[in-house]
């Protein structure tokens, strides 16, 4: 599974990244977590508010930080 | 007695659960209103009775001002930010984009400025938002109208203006801000500035992938969004409020009345452009600047000059320009600053003249 965190390094993006790591480790799954910080790439996802989260290329969340619990729901 | 009490309590909880939607907020609002009403007597009592400061002294005036305004503004902020947080769950940036895409200029500019008020916006996502708009065919000038209105007219500015100046000046500010956003965006659109976007942005024009996360939040989720907005926005601006009001309180108590009428007054024509110019490098949000402006007005500064300063501080900020530099070439940024600054100066002159 490939999880991408879209955002340009703001505090909220970091918080989302940490929550994703937490969710993944708690679920005990193997996933590739990647930060996407390039505006061009973010635009290609059609995302207008950061931070955003994409799982296997599909946008699941935009514009806010989700809790580890919420993220678990999205990964299932 | 205690069983009776716990019974009514559980009945109340049951009722609150049954009343879905926003109705469960009514008791909370009533308590809020009661506290709000006694803030002034509390501040006066603390200042003159508890601290024993003499009535009419400089220090007394400053302390009373501070003790009254800080809780008042913070309480207003909590309520309004909560409400706006709920309203914003109805206006996502994606929906706003869908409304604006394919609109004719003029009409689009007006709509964009209005939607700029209610659409959630933070300068950290200014670039993705900008790209999202122009990608899906929102004209450049219309996008600018949005980008100018969104930070300038927001709930924090409106709360502070309402709380410290009353509704008339708030309405003037909103009206003037909308006018600047609409005309500046329209002008930029007329000038056909698309060629001054960064080359990779030009390639994206009109080739958007407008995938929308279309979700319909429940009322519970909307209220959570409201709480979240309070946590985030009030958490971010409260220190600005306290510092701004402290400076305002100092001016209020210690600067003699009318001492500013000379160089910030109506007769001094160059005070307006100077105020607009000074505001550009200054970066504060409305929370920090409004209390200072209010104190300055009380000491003889002219309204137009004060408005120009405030708009310039809020609407034209250096950090936002640096962020936008990623997508706009210097020429377009310069034009953006020039057009908005010109609009702000016009507003300043106009209000110094008519009021």
């Amino acid at each position: 599974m490939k999880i991408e965190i879209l955002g340009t390094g703001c505090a909220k993006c970091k918080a989302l990244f940490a929550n994703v790591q937490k969710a993944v480790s708690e679920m005990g799954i193997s996933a590739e977590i990647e930060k996407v910080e390039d505006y061009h790439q973010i635009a290609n996802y059609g995302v207008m508010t950061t931070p955003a989260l994409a799982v296997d290329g599909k946008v699941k969340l935009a514009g806010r930080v989700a809790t580890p619990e919420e993220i678990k729901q999205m990964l299932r | 007695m205690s069983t009776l009490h716990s019974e009514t309590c559980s009945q109340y909880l049951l009722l609150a659960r049954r009343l879905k939607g926003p109705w469960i907020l009514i008791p909370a609002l009533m308590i809020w209103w009661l506290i709000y009403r006694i803030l002034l007597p509390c501040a006066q009592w603390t200042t003159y009775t508890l601290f024993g400061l003499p009535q009419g002294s400089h220090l007394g005036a400053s302390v009373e001002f501070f003790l009254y305004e800080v809780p008042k503004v913070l309480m207003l902020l909590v309520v309004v930010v909560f409400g706006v947080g709920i309203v914003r769950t109805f206006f996502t940036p994606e929906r706003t984009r869908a409304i604006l895409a394919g609109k004719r200029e003029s009409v689009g500019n007006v709509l964009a400025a209005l939607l700029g008020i209610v659409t959630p916006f933070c300068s950290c996502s200014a670039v993705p938002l900008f790209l999202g708009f122009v990608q899906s065919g929102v004209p450049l000038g219309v996008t600018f109208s949005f980008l100018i209105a969104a930070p300038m007219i927001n709930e924090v500015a409106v709360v502070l203006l309402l709380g410290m100046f009353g509704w008339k000046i708030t309405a003037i500010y909103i009206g003037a801000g909308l006018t600047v956003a609409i005309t500046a965006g329209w002008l930029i659109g007329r000038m056909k500035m698309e060629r001054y976007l960064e080359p990779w942005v030009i390639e994206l024009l009109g080739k958007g992938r407008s995938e929308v996360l279309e979700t319909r939040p429940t009322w519970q989720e909307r209220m959570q969004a409201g709480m979240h907005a309070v946590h985030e926005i009030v958490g971010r601006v409260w220190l600005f409020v306290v510092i701004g009001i402290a400076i305002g309180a100092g001016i209020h108590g210690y600067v003699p009345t009318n001492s500013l009428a000379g160089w910030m007054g109506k007769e001094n024509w160059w005070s307006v452009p100077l105020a607009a110019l000074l505001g550009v490098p200054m970066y504060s949000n409305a929370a920090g600047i409004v209390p200072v402006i209010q104190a300055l007005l009380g000491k003889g500064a002219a309204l137009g000059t004060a408005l120009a300063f405030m708009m310039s501080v809020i609407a034209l900020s250096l950090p936002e320009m640096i962020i936008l530099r990623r997508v706009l070439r210097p020429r377009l940024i310069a034009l953006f600053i020039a057009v908005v600054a010109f609009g702000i100066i016009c507003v300043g002159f106009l209000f110094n003249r008519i009021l």
Side-chain angles (χ1 to χ4, degrees):
Chain A
M1 190 189 293
K2 190 178 176 192
I3 305 171
E4 287 160 304
I5 289 111
L6 320 176
T8 46
C10 55
K12 282 196 258 175
C13 310
K14 284 173 193 142
L16 183 64
F17 186 76
N19 285 357
V20 168
Q21 279 180 321
K22 193 159 178 248
V24 168
S25 75
E26 279 177 17
M27 286 172 81
I29 54 172
S30 68
E32 188 189 334
I33 309 173
E34 197 183 304
K35 278 184 191 170
V36 179
E37 298 192 326
D38 179 51
Y39 283 127
H40 196 157
Q41 271 177 284
I42 295 175
N44 283 336
Y45 277 96
V47 163
M48 290 206 294
T49 46
T50 53
L53 182 75
V55 180
D56 290 331
K58 205 169 176 336
V59 179
K60 294 281 185 183
L61 171 86
R64 66 188 179 91
V65 179
T67 62
E69 294 309 312
E70 283 177 281
I71 296 166
K72 284 181 197 170
Q73 291 293 322
M74 291 168 200
L75 297 181
R76 244 163 225 148
Chain B
M1 186 64 198
S2 76
T3 46
L4 186 73
H5 181 249
S6 68
E7 230 166 68
T8 43
C9 219
S10 63
Q11 265 174 353
Y12 176 75
L13 280 177
L14 213 73
L15 187 73
R17 206 168 299 160
R18 207 176 301 156
L19 285 172
K20 288 219 177 92
W23 307 114
I24 58 170
L25 294 173
I26 288 172
L29 273 174
M30 280 161 68
I31 296 168
W32 181 93
W33 177 242
L34 285 176
I35 298 175
Y36 189 81
R37 291 303 299 263
I38 58 164
L39 282 178
L40 185 59
C42 279
Q44 285 168 340
W45 182 83
T46 314
T47 309
Y48 302 113
T49 311
L50 189 68
F51 294 166
L53 297 169
Q55 296 251 7
S57 65
H58 288 314
L59 187 62
S62 288
V63 170
E64 186 199 324
F65 181 84
F66 184 80
L67 289 180
Y68 173 53
E69 296 293 341
V70 168
K72 183 182 91 175
V73 169
L74 290 180
M75 283 181 74
L76 279 171
L77 260 182
V78 168
V79 165
V80 175
V81 167
F82 181 75
V84 172
I86 290 178
V87 170
R88 284 193 171 156
T89 60
F90 294 91
F91 293 88
T92 61
E94 286 80 11
R95 203 167 292 168
T96 294
R97 174 176 63 179
I99 296 173
L100 292 179
K103 280 278 176 314
R104 276 187 303 126
E105 294 259 297
S106 51
V107 184
N109 292 108
V110 176
L111 263 177
L114 288 170
L115 287 166
I117 304 175
V118 286
T119 310
F121 175 81
C122 114
S123 61
C124 53
S125 32
V127 166
L129 197 116
F130 180 90
L131 291 173
F133 273 30
V134 294
Q135 248 186 339
S136 62
V138 178
L140 190 62
V142 174
T143 307
F144 270 106
S145 282
F146 181 91
L147 276 182
I148 297 165
M152 184 153 60
I153 310 169
N154 57 53
E155 67 275 34
V156 176
V158 170
V159 166
L160 274 120
L161 286 167
L162 265 180
M164 308 199 86
F165 291 109
W167 67 268
K168 266 189 202 159
I169 290 184
T170 311
I172 288 175
Y173 179 82
I174 295 176
L178 281 175
T179 312
V180 170
I182 293 166
T183 21
W186 181 78
L187 267 174
I188 292 173
R190 297 261 77 183
M191 292 183 199
K192 303 272 176 265
M193 298 303 284
E194 279 80 359
R195 60 180 184 269
Y196 293 109
L197 295 169
E198 284 293 332
W200 63 273
V201 180
I202 298 178
E203 275 174 38
L204 289 176
L205 288 180
K207 289 181 200 150
R209 190 176 132 184
S210 38
E211 181 182 308
V212 181
L213 277 173
E214 203 47 80
T215 46
R216 213 165 210 302
T218 60
W219 264 106
Q220 204 191 349
E221 283 169 328
R222 291 192 202 281
M223 299 230 266
Q224 268 172 1
M227 301 288 265
H228 191 78
V230 170
H231 183 79
E232 194 188 312
I233 295 175
V234 181
R236 182 159 42 96
V237 304
W238 73 270
L239 196 62
F240 283 90
V241 172
V242 173
I243 293 171
I245 293 176
I247 296 173
I251 298 172
H252 190 77
Y254 288 92
V255 175
T257 312
N258 268 333
S259 59
L260 295 176
W263 65 282
M264 284 185 85
K266 272 189 197 186
E267 276 66 44
N268 202 350
W269 71 269
W270 51 262
S271 69
V272 174
L274 184 72
L277 207 67
L278 277 177
V280 179
M282 285 187 68
Y283 179 58
S284 165
N285 43 41
I289 202 73
V290 176
V292 178
I293 295 291
Q294 194 236 21
L296 293 178
L297 276 181
K299 304 299 177 185
L303 180 65
T305 310
L307 272 179
F309 182 60
M310 186 175 153
M311 284 186 169
S312 166
V313 169
I314 302 173
L316 291 174
S317 77
L318 228 43
E320 197 186 319
M321 297 309 146
I322 293 167
I323 293 172
L324 285 176
R325 173 65 189 87
R326 305 288 294 270
V327 283
L328 311 179
R329 289 174 44 196
R331 198 122 170 214
L332 186 46
I333 295 201
L335 179 77
F336 171 59
I337 297 176
V339 169
V340 176
F342 179 75
I344 290 173
I345 291 169
C346 290
V347 167
F349 280 136
L350 186 71
F351 283 107
N352 276 356
R353 181 145 288 241
I354 60 174
L355 287 170

